[in-house]
Amino acid sequence: RPDLMCLSKGISGGYLPLSIVLSSDTIYEAFLDESVTRAFLHSHSYTGNPLACRAALATLDIFEQDDAVAVNRQKAAKISAALAPLADHPQVRNLRQRGMIAAFDVATDDPYFSRRFYRAALDREALIRPIGNTVYLMPPYIVSDAEIAHLGEATQGALLEALSGKQGSSRNC
């Protein structure tokens, strides 16, 4: 268990900017004090906004009502299955996944790989932006089974096209 954890973005369901810092009880108690000179204060731009905090509470309610964690575990398994064929590609390295976030590295010296992949994915109606030679997939929690299947197919097709050095219907990189 970490002593400190910083969270942002999704905590408000993406509606308003908000970040939070969680701490272990030991750290919390070290700063628990009536004096503001000793206590932690929310002083950053994205903390303490009442509207954003209310949106975060509503998001947590939805997570509980919809059992989002259990549903996302099932979706994560489907994402894993959709991306499994990539593991057999000779240039794919370190295919990995944590929950609904997946990534893999591509062994290529092509300096335009990320541009080619991005364009090829767009041509397949998938918004996937690699960073260098690493391809990350972070679908939203509302992704459907059909969209997961499409994402897997689009990723594989974009990879093949990007590595071939040929661009389908897209403009030159």
Side-chain angles (χ1 to χ4, degrees):
R1 299 183 117 187
D3 289 321
L4 293 169
M5 187 183 323
C6 300
L7 303 173
S8 64
K9 296 185 181 181
I11 194 71
S12 71
Y15 287 100
L16 294 165
L18 180 67
S19 66
I20 60 173
V21 177
L22 305 173
S23 71
S24 65
D25 289 340
T26 303
I27 290 178
Y28 174 77
E29 289 167 7
F31 287 92
L32 183 61
D33 201 296
E34 294 294 324
S35 171
V36 294
T37 61
R38 183 164 164 76
F40 270 138
L41 301 175
H42 62 79
S43 60
H44 302 288
S45 299
Y46 299 122
T47 63
N49 178 299
L51 187 56
C53 290
R54 186 60 199 116
L57 290 173
T59 298
L60 291 173
D61 288 344
I62 292 169
F63 262 63
E64 185 177 1
Q65 292 164 6
D66 294 351
D67 200 8
V69 173
V71 170
N72 287 352
R73 282 190 184 117
Q74 294 170 354
K75 289 181 182 189
K78 291 173 183 175
I79 291 167
S80 182
L83 298 177
L86 291 169
D88 295 329
H89 192 284
Q91 287 176 267
V92 170
R93 306 284 188 272
N94 194 21
L95 176 62
R96 57 207 180 268
Q97 184 174 351
R98 177 72 62 187
M100 290 184 55
I101 301 172
F104 60 92
D105 305 313
V106 180
T108 180
D109 293 329
D110 180 359
Y112 299 106
F113 168 77
S114 62
R115 286 191 216 173
R116 291 182 199 281
F117 183 94
Y118 173 77
R119 176 53 60 190
L122 280 180
D123 287 345
R124 290 166 174 78
E125 298 180 347
L127 184 58
I128 307 169
R129 183 181 166 264
I131 299 174
N133 290 358
T134 302
V135 176
Y136 294 90
L137 298 109
M138 296 175 278
Y141 291 166
I142 59 169
V143 67
S144 69
D145 291 351
E147 290 166 332
I148 290 171
H150 176 79
L151 185 60
E153 293 167 9
T155 302
Q156 293 170 60
L159 177 66
L160 294 176
E161 183 177 322
L163 290 174
S164 75
K166 299 175 186 171
Q167 290 299 127
S169 63
S170 64
R171 56 188 172 203
N172 292 331
C173 294

